[in-house]
Amino acid sequence: NGQSCQECASGSASPDVATECVTCDIDSSENKTECLCKDGMIWEWDGPSSGSCEPCLADTYKIGKMRSCESCPFSTTSSVGASSCNCLAGNFSNGQSCQECPLGAASADGATECTTCNIGSGANKTECLCEDGMIWEWDDPSNGSCKPCKLNTYKTREMFSCQICPFPSTSSFGSSSCSCLAGSFWNGQSCQECASGSASPDVATECVTCDIDSSENKTECLCKDGMIWEWDGPSSGSCEPCLADTYKIGKMRSCESCPFSTTSSVGASSCNCLAGNFSNGQSCQECPLGAASADGATECTTCNIGSGANKTECLCEDGMIWEWDDPSNGSCKPCLRNTYKIGNMSRCEECPIYSLSTAGSSHCICQKGTFRTHNNTCVICTESTYFHETA
Protein backbone atom coordinates (compact mmCIF):
# COMPACT_ATOMS: atom_id res chain seq x y z
CA ASN A 1 0.00 0.00 0.00
CA GLY A 2 3.09 2.21 -0.24
CA GLN A 3 4.28 1.48 3.30
CA SER A 4 3.53 -2.21 4.03
CA CYS A 5 1.87 -5.37 2.67
CA GLN A 6 -1.88 -5.39 3.26
CA GLU A 7 -4.14 -8.45 2.91
CA CYS A 8 -6.70 -8.36 0.10
CA ALA A 9 -10.28 -7.80 1.12
CA SER A 10 -12.73 -10.69 1.11
CA GLY A 11 -13.81 -11.59 -2.47
CA SER A 12 -10.66 -10.20 -4.04
CA ALA A 13 -7.23 -11.64 -4.89
CA SER A 14 -3.73 -10.79 -6.03
CA PRO A 15 -0.57 -12.52 -7.30
CA ASP A 16 2.97 -11.83 -6.03
CA VAL A 17 4.24 -8.22 -6.21
CA ALA A 18 0.74 -6.77 -6.62
CA THR A 19 0.11 -3.09 -5.93
CA GLU A 20 -3.65 -3.63 -5.74
CA CYS A 21 -6.15 -6.48 -5.47
CA VAL A 22 -8.55 -7.64 -8.18
CA THR A 23 -12.23 -7.90 -7.26
CA CYS A 24 -13.48 -11.41 -8.18
CA ASP A 25 -16.79 -12.03 -9.98
CA ILE A 26 -17.60 -15.14 -7.94
CA ASP A 27 -15.24 -15.23 -4.97
CA SER A 28 -11.59 -15.60 -4.15
CA SER A 29 -9.68 -18.66 -3.01
CA GLU A 30 -9.10 -19.17 0.70
CA ASN A 31 -5.64 -17.67 0.55
CA LYS A 32 -6.87 -14.94 -1.80
CA THR A 33 -4.15 -15.78 -4.36
CA GLU A 34 -6.65 -16.16 -7.24
CA CYS A 35 -10.28 -15.72 -8.10
CA LEU A 36 -12.64 -18.65 -8.25
CA CYS A 37 -14.15 -19.51 -11.69
CA LYS A 38 -17.16 -21.48 -12.79
CA ASP A 39 -16.70 -25.15 -13.64
CA GLY A 40 -14.55 -25.75 -16.74
CA MET A 41 -12.69 -22.46 -16.22
CA ILE A 42 -9.38 -21.69 -14.45
CA TRP A 43 -8.01 -18.34 -13.19
CA GLU A 44 -4.94 -17.03 -14.94
CA TRP A 45 -2.96 -13.86 -14.04
CA ASP A 46 -1.84 -11.78 -17.00
CA GLY A 47 -0.18 -9.07 -14.84
CA PRO A 48 0.39 -8.01 -11.20
CA SER A 49 -3.08 -6.54 -10.94
CA SER A 50 -5.10 -8.19 -13.76
CA GLY A 51 -6.32 -11.69 -14.63
CA SER A 52 -9.30 -13.59 -15.98
CA CYS A 53 -11.08 -16.93 -16.06
CA GLU A 54 -9.90 -19.00 -19.05
CA PRO A 55 -11.45 -22.27 -20.32
CA CYS A 56 -9.71 -25.58 -19.67
CA LEU A 57 -8.05 -27.07 -22.75
CA ALA A 58 -9.51 -30.04 -24.60
CA ASP A 59 -8.99 -33.39 -22.84
CA THR A 60 -8.81 -31.65 -19.44
CA TYR A 61 -11.49 -30.68 -16.93
CA LYS A 62 -12.10 -28.70 -13.72
CA ILE A 63 -14.95 -28.66 -11.24
CA GLY A 64 -15.55 -26.87 -7.94
CA LYS A 65 -12.52 -25.52 -6.16
CA MET A 66 -9.94 -27.51 -8.12
CA ARG A 67 -6.80 -25.31 -8.41
CA SER A 68 -6.02 -26.44 -12.00
CA CYS A 69 -7.45 -28.20 -15.04
CA GLU A 70 -6.71 -31.92 -14.71
CA SER A 71 -6.07 -34.34 -17.57
CA CYS A 72 -8.94 -36.67 -18.42
CA PRO A 73 -8.51 -40.30 -17.30
CA PHE A 74 -7.59 -43.01 -19.83
CA SER A 75 -10.20 -43.71 -22.60
CA THR A 76 -12.05 -40.48 -21.84
CA THR A 77 -12.05 -37.06 -23.48
CA SER A 78 -13.45 -33.57 -23.13
CA SER A 79 -14.04 -30.47 -25.19
CA VAL A 80 -12.62 -27.02 -24.36
CA GLY A 81 -14.03 -25.59 -21.09
CA ALA A 82 -15.28 -28.96 -19.77
CA SER A 83 -16.26 -29.67 -16.19
CA SER A 84 -16.09 -33.43 -16.69
CA CYS A 85 -14.68 -36.04 -19.07
CA ASN A 86 -16.73 -38.32 -21.26
CA CYS A 87 -16.07 -41.74 -22.71
CA LEU A 88 -14.27 -41.66 -26.04
CA ALA A 89 -16.16 -42.45 -29.27
CA GLY A 90 -16.53 -46.20 -29.69
CA ASN A 91 -17.22 -46.55 -25.94
CA PHE A 92 -20.13 -45.81 -23.62
CA SER A 93 -20.50 -44.99 -19.91
CA ASN A 94 -22.14 -47.68 -17.79
CA GLY A 95 -22.36 -45.21 -14.90
CA GLN A 96 -19.06 -46.20 -13.34
CA SER A 97 -16.57 -46.63 -16.17
CA CYS A 98 -16.20 -46.58 -19.93
CA GLN A 99 -16.99 -49.79 -21.79
CA GLU A 100 -16.26 -50.58 -25.45
CA CYS A 101 -19.23 -50.85 -27.85
CA PRO A 102 -20.04 -54.41 -29.00
CA LEU A 103 -19.26 -55.59 -32.54
CA GLY A 104 -21.56 -53.96 -35.12
CA ALA A 105 -22.37 -50.97 -32.91
CA ALA A 106 -20.90 -47.46 -32.58
CA SER A 107 -20.99 -44.33 -30.44
CA ALA A 108 -19.78 -40.72 -30.39
CA ASP A 109 -17.82 -39.03 -27.60
CA GLY A 110 -19.83 -38.93 -24.34
CA ALA A 111 -22.29 -41.71 -25.19
CA THR A 112 -24.24 -43.48 -22.47
CA GLU A 113 -25.21 -46.28 -24.90
CA CYS A 114 -24.17 -47.58 -28.31
CA THR A 115 -26.15 -47.45 -31.57
CA THR A 116 -26.65 -50.76 -33.39
CA CYS A 117 -25.55 -50.33 -37.05
CA ASN A 118 -27.54 -51.73 -40.02
CA ILE A 119 -24.49 -52.65 -42.13
CA GLY A 120 -21.75 -52.65 -39.52
CA SER A 121 -19.40 -50.26 -37.74
CA GLY A 122 -15.95 -49.02 -38.63
CA ALA A 123 -12.85 -50.61 -37.12
CA ASN A 124 -12.78 -48.10 -34.23
CA LYS A 125 -16.59 -48.22 -33.75
CA THR A 126 -16.85 -44.40 -33.88
CA GLU A 127 -19.51 -44.45 -36.62
CA CYS A 128 -21.74 -46.83 -38.55
CA LEU A 129 -20.98 -47.85 -42.11
CA CYS A 130 -23.32 -46.50 -44.82
CA GLU A 131 -24.28 -47.41 -48.37
CA ASP A 132 -22.46 -45.72 -51.25
CA GLY A 133 -23.34 -42.02 -51.47
CA MET A 134 -24.24 -41.84 -47.75
CA ILE A 135 -22.29 -40.58 -44.72
CA TRP A 136 -22.90 -41.24 -41.01
CA GLU A 137 -23.80 -38.23 -38.87
CA TRP A 138 -24.43 -38.18 -35.11
CA ASP A 139 -27.58 -36.41 -33.88
CA ASP A 140 -26.41 -36.87 -30.29
CA PRO A 141 -23.67 -39.07 -28.71
CA SER A 142 -25.85 -42.20 -28.83
CA ASN A 143 -28.04 -41.63 -31.91
CA GLY A 144 -27.26 -41.00 -35.57
CA SER A 145 -28.18 -41.98 -39.11
CA CYS A 146 -26.83 -42.23 -42.67
CA LYS A 147 -27.29 -38.94 -44.54
CA PRO A 148 -26.87 -38.43 -48.32
CA CYS A 149 -23.72 -36.71 -49.55
CA LYS A 150 -24.31 -33.11 -50.57
CA LEU A 151 -24.56 -31.81 -54.13
CA ASN A 152 -21.29 -32.14 -56.11
CA THR A 153 -19.74 -34.54 -53.60
CA TYR A 154 -19.45 -38.33 -53.62
CA LYS A 155 -18.52 -41.26 -51.39
CA THR A 156 -18.02 -44.99 -51.80
CA ARG A 157 -18.54 -47.37 -48.88
CA GLU A 158 -14.78 -47.56 -48.22
CA MET A 159 -14.37 -43.77 -47.94
CA PHE A 160 -14.56 -42.01 -44.54
CA SER A 161 -16.15 -38.79 -45.79
CA CYS A 162 -17.95 -37.27 -48.79
CA GLN A 163 -15.32 -35.90 -51.18
CA ILE A 164 -15.73 -32.86 -53.44
CA CYS A 165 -16.07 -33.77 -57.13
CA PRO A 166 -13.01 -32.56 -59.05
CA PHE A 167 -13.62 -29.91 -61.74
CA PRO A 168 -15.39 -30.13 -64.15
CA SER A 169 -17.35 -33.12 -62.82
CA THR A 170 -20.62 -32.83 -60.86
CA SER A 171 -22.94 -35.05 -58.85
CA SER A 172 -26.46 -35.14 -57.47
CA PHE A 173 -27.36 -35.68 -53.80
CA GLY A 174 -26.33 -39.08 -52.43
CA SER A 175 -23.88 -39.96 -55.22
CA SER A 176 -21.25 -42.68 -55.13
CA SER A 177 -19.39 -41.18 -58.10
CA CYS A 178 -19.09 -37.95 -60.05
CA SER A 179 -20.57 -37.32 -63.49
CA CYS A 180 -18.20 -36.37 -66.28
CA LEU A 181 -18.91 -34.41 -69.44
CA ALA A 182 -19.47 -36.29 -72.70
CA GLY A 183 -16.17 -37.38 -74.23
CA SER A 184 -14.75 -38.47 -70.89
CA PHE A 185 -15.49 -41.04 -68.18
CA TRP A 186 -15.25 -41.37 -64.37
CA ASN A 187 -12.29 -43.60 -63.44
CA GLY A 188 -13.14 -43.66 -59.74
CA GLN A 189 -11.14 -40.58 -58.81
CA SER A 190 -11.38 -38.09 -61.69
CA CYS A 191 -12.66 -37.53 -65.23
CA GLN A 192 -10.47 -39.12 -67.90
CA GLU A 193 -10.69 -38.30 -71.61
CA CYS A 194 -11.78 -41.12 -73.92
CA ALA A 195 -9.03 -42.66 -76.02
CA SER A 196 -8.82 -41.93 -79.73
CA GLY A 197 -11.53 -43.81 -81.65
CA SER A 198 -13.84 -44.12 -78.64
CA ALA A 199 -16.67 -41.98 -77.26
CA SER A 200 -18.96 -41.47 -74.27
CA PRO A 201 -22.11 -39.52 -73.29
CA ASP A 202 -22.53 -37.58 -70.05
CA VAL A 203 -22.16 -39.58 -66.76
CA ALA A 204 -20.23 -42.43 -68.42
CA THR A 205 -18.12 -44.84 -66.39
CA GLU A 206 -16.36 -46.17 -69.50
CA CYS A 207 -15.93 -45.26 -73.17
CA VAL A 208 -17.35 -47.17 -76.13
CA THR A 209 -14.94 -48.27 -78.85
CA CYS A 210 -16.25 -47.02 -82.22
CA ASP A 211 -16.35 -49.21 -85.34
CA ILE A 212 -15.37 -46.35 -87.69
CA ASP A 213 -14.10 -43.48 -85.53
CA SER A 214 -15.30 -41.00 -82.93
CA SER A 215 -16.37 -37.38 -83.42
CA GLU A 216 -13.78 -34.67 -82.77
CA ASN A 217 -14.99 -34.09 -79.21
CA LYS A 218 -15.47 -37.86 -78.65
CA THR A 219 -19.11 -37.41 -77.63
CA GLU A 220 -20.39 -39.96 -80.16
CA CYS A 221 -19.23 -42.54 -82.69
CA LEU A 222 -19.24 -41.79 -86.41
CA CYS A 223 -21.57 -43.89 -88.58
CA LYS A 224 -21.72 -44.66 -92.27
CA ASP A 225 -23.88 -42.44 -94.47
CA GLY A 226 -27.61 -42.74 -93.73
CA MET A 227 -26.95 -43.77 -90.12
CA ILE A 228 -26.79 -41.71 -86.90
CA TRP A 229 -25.30 -42.59 -83.49
CA GLU A 230 -27.75 -42.96 -80.61
CA TRP A 231 -26.86 -43.61 -76.95
CA ASP A 232 -29.09 -46.12 -75.17
CA GLY A 233 -27.21 -45.96 -71.85
CA PRO A 234 -24.19 -44.31 -70.15
CA SER A 235 -21.80 -46.81 -71.76
CA SER A 236 -23.66 -48.30 -74.74
CA GLY A 237 -24.95 -47.05 -78.08
CA SER A 238 -25.31 -47.99 -81.74
CA CYS A 239 -25.67 -46.62 -85.26
CA GLU A 240 -29.36 -46.34 -86.17
CA PRO A 241 -30.80 -45.63 -89.66
CA CYS A 242 -32.20 -42.19 -90.44
CA LEU A 243 -36.00 -42.10 -90.62
CA ALA A 244 -37.85 -41.87 -93.92
CA ASP A 245 -37.84 -38.34 -95.43
CA THR A 246 -34.54 -37.53 -93.69
CA TYR A 247 -30.89 -38.02 -94.71
CA LYS A 248 -27.32 -37.86 -93.40
CA ILE A 249 -23.96 -37.84 -95.13
CA GLY A 250 -20.35 -37.50 -93.91
CA LYS A 251 -19.85 -35.90 -90.49
CA MET A 252 -23.35 -34.44 -90.17
CA ARG A 253 -24.32 -34.56 -86.45
CA SER A 254 -27.97 -35.46 -87.11
CA CYS A 255 -30.39 -36.70 -89.76
CA GLU A 256 -31.75 -33.65 -91.57
CA SER A 257 -35.23 -33.31 -93.08
CA CYS A 258 -35.41 -33.64 -96.86
CA PRO A 259 -35.97 -30.34 -98.74
CA PHE A 260 -39.41 -29.48 -100.13
CA SER A 261 -40.73 -31.81 -102.93
CA THR A 262 -38.10 -34.47 -102.13
CA THR A 263 -38.24 -37.72 -100.19
CA SER A 264 -36.02 -40.53 -98.92
CA SER A 265 -36.34 -44.08 -97.69
CA VAL A 266 -35.16 -45.28 -94.25
CA GLY A 267 -31.36 -45.05 -93.87
CA ALA A 268 -30.81 -42.63 -96.77
CA SER A 269 -27.69 -40.55 -97.47
CA SER A 270 -29.54 -38.24 -99.87
CA CYS A 271 -33.06 -37.15 -100.84
CA ASN A 272 -34.71 -37.81 -104.21
CA CYS A 273 -37.42 -36.02 -106.15
CA LEU A 274 -40.95 -37.14 -105.35
CA ALA A 275 -42.85 -39.34 -107.83
CA GLY A 276 -44.33 -37.22 -110.63
CA ASN A 277 -41.14 -35.13 -110.73
CA PHE A 278 -37.59 -35.58 -112.04
CA SER A 279 -34.19 -34.14 -111.13
CA ASN A 280 -32.66 -31.83 -113.71
CA GLY A 281 -29.35 -31.89 -111.81
CA GLN A 282 -30.07 -28.82 -109.74
CA SER A 283 -33.71 -29.07 -108.63
CA CYS A 284 -36.88 -31.14 -108.95
CA GLN A 285 -39.10 -30.41 -111.97
CA GLU A 286 -42.65 -31.69 -112.62
CA CYS A 287 -43.15 -34.24 -115.37
CA PRO A 288 -44.92 -32.89 -118.51
CA LEU A 289 -48.50 -33.83 -119.33
CA GLY A 290 -48.84 -37.46 -120.41
CA ALA A 291 -45.63 -38.56 -118.67
CA ALA A 292 -44.89 -40.07 -115.26
CA SER A 293 -42.04 -40.97 -112.87
CA ALA A 294 -41.34 -42.79 -109.58
CA ASP A 295 -39.50 -41.41 -106.54
CA GLY A 296 -35.90 -40.51 -107.41
CA ALA A 297 -36.31 -40.22 -111.18
CA THR A 298 -33.81 -38.32 -113.34
CA GLU A 299 -36.23 -38.27 -116.30
CA CYS A 300 -39.91 -38.93 -116.96
CA THR A 301 -41.43 -41.82 -118.95
CA THR A 302 -43.80 -40.88 -121.80
CA CYS A 303 -47.05 -42.81 -121.34
CA ASN A 304 -48.85 -44.53 -124.28
CA ILE A 305 -52.36 -43.80 -123.01
CA GLY A 306 -51.69 -41.05 -120.51
CA SER A 307 -50.65 -40.54 -116.89
CA GLY A 308 -52.62 -40.36 -113.69
CA ALA A 309 -53.60 -37.04 -112.18
CA ASN A 310 -50.47 -36.93 -109.98
CA LYS A 311 -48.20 -38.28 -112.77
CA THR A 312 -46.85 -41.06 -110.50
CA GLU A 313 -47.70 -43.83 -113.01
CA CYS A 314 -48.93 -44.38 -116.55
CA LEU A 315 -52.48 -45.48 -117.35
CA CYS A 316 -52.92 -49.01 -118.74
CA GLU A 317 -55.50 -51.01 -120.72
CA ASP A 318 -58.06 -53.04 -118.76
CA GLY A 319 -56.46 -56.13 -117.23
CA MET A 320 -53.07 -54.40 -117.04
CA ILE A 321 -51.32 -52.53 -114.21
CA TRP A 322 -48.33 -50.14 -114.32
CA GLU A 323 -45.12 -51.27 -112.61
CA TRP A 324 -41.83 -49.37 -112.31
CA ASP A 325 -38.62 -51.21 -113.24
CA ASP A 326 -36.54 -48.24 -112.01
CA PRO A 327 -37.47 -44.60 -111.10
CA SER A 328 -37.55 -43.53 -114.78
CA ASN A 329 -38.66 -46.71 -116.60
CA GLY A 330 -41.71 -48.94 -116.30
CA SER A 331 -44.37 -50.77 -118.28
CA CYS A 332 -47.91 -52.14 -118.16
CA LYS A 333 -47.92 -55.67 -116.73
CA PRO A 334 -50.89 -58.10 -116.92
CA CYS A 335 -52.90 -58.72 -113.75
CA LEU A 336 -52.14 -62.10 -112.19
CA ARG A 337 -54.46 -65.11 -112.53
CA ASN A 338 -57.62 -64.82 -110.43
CA THR A 339 -57.31 -61.01 -110.27
CA TYR A 340 -58.80 -58.29 -112.50
CA LYS A 341 -58.66 -54.58 -113.25
CA ILE A 342 -60.97 -52.32 -115.25
CA GLY A 343 -61.27 -48.58 -115.84
CA ASN A 344 -59.68 -46.32 -113.24
CA MET A 345 -58.93 -49.04 -110.70
CA SER A 346 -55.52 -48.32 -109.15
CA ARG A 347 -54.57 -51.98 -108.72
CA CYS A 348 -55.52 -55.52 -109.68
CA GLU A 349 -58.17 -56.79 -107.27
CA GLU A 350 -58.78 -60.42 -106.26
CA CYS A 351 -61.75 -62.12 -107.87
CA PRO A 352 -64.82 -62.38 -105.61
CA ILE A 353 -65.82 -65.71 -104.03
CA TYR A 354 -66.85 -68.50 -106.45
CA SER A 355 -65.26 -66.64 -109.40
CA LEU A 356 -61.94 -66.85 -111.27
CA SER A 357 -59.93 -65.28 -114.09
CA THR A 358 -56.98 -65.82 -116.39
CA ALA A 359 -53.91 -63.53 -116.34
CA GLY A 360 -54.54 -60.04 -117.73
CA SER A 361 -58.31 -60.10 -117.16
CA SER A 362 -60.65 -57.15 -116.90
CA HIS A 363 -63.35 -59.20 -115.17
CA CYS A 364 -63.91 -62.51 -113.39
CA ILE A 365 -66.25 -65.39 -114.45
CA CYS A 366 -68.33 -67.59 -112.16
CA GLN A 367 -67.12 -71.12 -111.48
CA LYS A 368 -69.06 -74.12 -112.75
CA GLY A 369 -71.99 -74.91 -110.47
CA THR A 370 -72.54 -71.20 -109.75
CA PHE A 371 -74.33 -68.37 -111.56
CA ARG A 372 -74.08 -64.58 -111.66
CA THR A 373 -76.91 -62.67 -109.96
CA HIS A 374 -78.33 -59.29 -110.87
CA ASN A 375 -75.93 -57.60 -108.37
CA ASN A 376 -72.94 -59.16 -110.16
CA THR A 377 -72.01 -61.79 -107.55
CA CYS A 378 -71.57 -65.55 -108.05
CA VAL A 379 -73.95 -67.83 -106.13
CA ILE A 380 -73.93 -71.65 -105.83
CA CYS A 381 -76.73 -73.41 -107.67
CA THR A 382 -79.44 -74.64 -105.31
CA GLU A 383 -80.37 -78.31 -104.79
CA SER A 384 -81.89 -80.05 -107.85
CA THR A 385 -80.58 -77.30 -110.24
CA TYR A 386 -77.48 -77.09 -112.42
CA PHE A 387 -75.50 -74.53 -114.38
CA HIS A 388 -76.21 -74.39 -118.10
CA GLU A 389 -73.40 -73.10 -120.32
CA THR A 390 -75.78 -70.66 -122.04
CA ALA A 391 -77.49 -69.51 -118.86
Side-chain angles (χ1 to χ4, degrees):
N1 62 9
Q3 296 179 331
S4 63
C5 292
Q6 184 176 334
E7 185 179 1
C8 289
S10 179
S12 63
S14 70
D16 293 334
V17 305
T19 57
E20 59 180 327
C21 297
V22 172
T23 302
C24 300
D25 291 336
I26 298 176
D27 199 357
S28 60
S29 58
E30 290 183 13
N31 55 10
K32 302 176 182 177
T33 58
E34 59 188 5
C35 290
L36 298 180
C37 299
K38 64 181 182 180
D39 293 345
M41 307 284 282
I42 193 72
W43 182 265
E44 289 187 5
W45 292 106
D46 49 35
S49 300
S50 62
S52 60
C53 289
E54 300 296 329
C56 290
L57 300 176
D59 294 324
T60 67
Y61 75 103
K62 174 187 163 287
I63 190 171
K65 293 186 178 183
M66 289 172 57
R67 297 291 304 276
S68 63
C69 297
E70 299 292 337
S71 296
C72 287
F74 178 72
S75 78
T76 64
T77 186
S78 71
S79 57
V80 173
S83 60
S84 62
C85 297
N86 298 314
C87 294
L88 286 168
N91 298 268
F92 71 100
S93 173
N94 60 11
Q96 296 178 324
S97 62
C98 294
Q99 190 170 336
E100 186 179 358
C101 288
L103 191 66
S107 69
D109 290 337
T112 55
E113 59 180 334
C114 298
T115 293
T116 301
C117 303
N118 291 331
I119 298 177
S121 59
N124 54 9
K125 302 176 183 178
T126 59
E127 60 185 9
C128 291
L129 299 179
C130 298
E131 298 286 351
D132 291 345
M134 307 287 279
I135 190 73
W136 183 265
E137 290 185 6
W138 290 106
D139 302 316
D140 59 56
S142 299
N143 295 284
S145 60
C146 289
K147 305 285 197 308
C149 288
K150 295 179 180 179
L151 195 69
N152 296 328
T153 67
Y154 74 104
K155 176 184 167 293
T156 61
R157 186 180 295 185
E158 296 77 19
M159 294 166 61
F160 296 108
S161 62
C162 298
Q163 301 294 313
I164 296 174
C165 289
F167 181 81
S169 63
T170 59
S171 73
S172 56
F173 287 100
S175 293
S176 60
S177 63
C178 298
S179 300
C180 300
L181 296 173
S184 60
F185 70 99
W186 179 253
N187 63 11
Q189 295 179 320
S190 62
C191 292
Q192 184 175 333
E193 184 180 358
C194 291
S196 179
S198 63
S200 72
D202 293 331
V203 307
T205 55
E206 60 180 328
C207 297
V208 171
T209 302
C210 302
D211 292 334
I212 300 177
D213 199 357
S214 59
S215 58
E216 289 183 14
N217 54 8
K218 302 175 182 177
T219 58
E220 60 189 4
C221 291
L222 298 181
C223 300
K224 65 181 183 180
D225 292 346
M227 306 284 280
I228 194 71
W229 183 263
E230 290 186 5
W231 291 106
D232 49 38
S235 300
S236 61
S238 59
C239 287
E240 299 296 330
C242 290
L243 300 178
D245 295 324
T246 67
Y247 75 104
K248 175 190 162 284
I249 190 169
K251 293 187 176 182
M252 288 170 58
R253 297 293 302 276
S254 61
C255 299
E256 301 291 338
S257 297
C258 287
F260 178 72
S261 78
T262 64
T263 186
S264 71
S265 56
V266 173
S269 60
S270 62
C271 298
N272 299 314
C273 294
L274 287 168
N277 298 267
F278 71 100
S279 173
N280 61 11
Q282 296 178 325
S283 61
C284 295
Q285 190 172 334
E286 187 178 357
C287 289
L289 192 65
S293 70
D295 289 337
T298 55
E299 60 180 332
C300 298
T301 294
T302 302
C303 302
N304 292 331
I305 299 177
S307 60
N310 53 10
K311 302 176 183 177
T312 59
E313 60 186 6
C314 291
L315 299 179
C316 297
E317 300 284 352
D318 291 346
M320 306 287 281
I321 191 74
W322 182 265
E323 289 185 5
W324 290 105
D325 302 316
D326 60 56
S328 298
N329 296 282
S331 59
C332 288
K333 305 286 196 305
C335 289
L336 299 177
R337 184 172 175 268
N338 293 328
T339 66
Y340 74 103
K341 175 183 166 287
I342 189 170
N344 292 326
M345 289 172 58
S346 60
R347 62 182 179 180
C348 299
E349 300 285 352
E350 290 188 5
C351 288
I353 190 170
Y354 305 131
S355 66
L356 46 81
S357 72
T358 58
S361 295
S362 63
H363 64 279
C364 301
I365 60 173
C366 293
Q367 299 174 0
K368 288 185 177 182
T370 67
F371 68 98
R372 189 179 301 279
T373 65
H374 65 279
N375 60 1
N376 210 30
T377 58
C378 297
V379 178
I380 297 176
C381 294
T382 59
E383 188 177 357
S384 300
T385 67
Y386 71 98
F387 172 77
H388 192 279
E389 291 290 345
T390 61

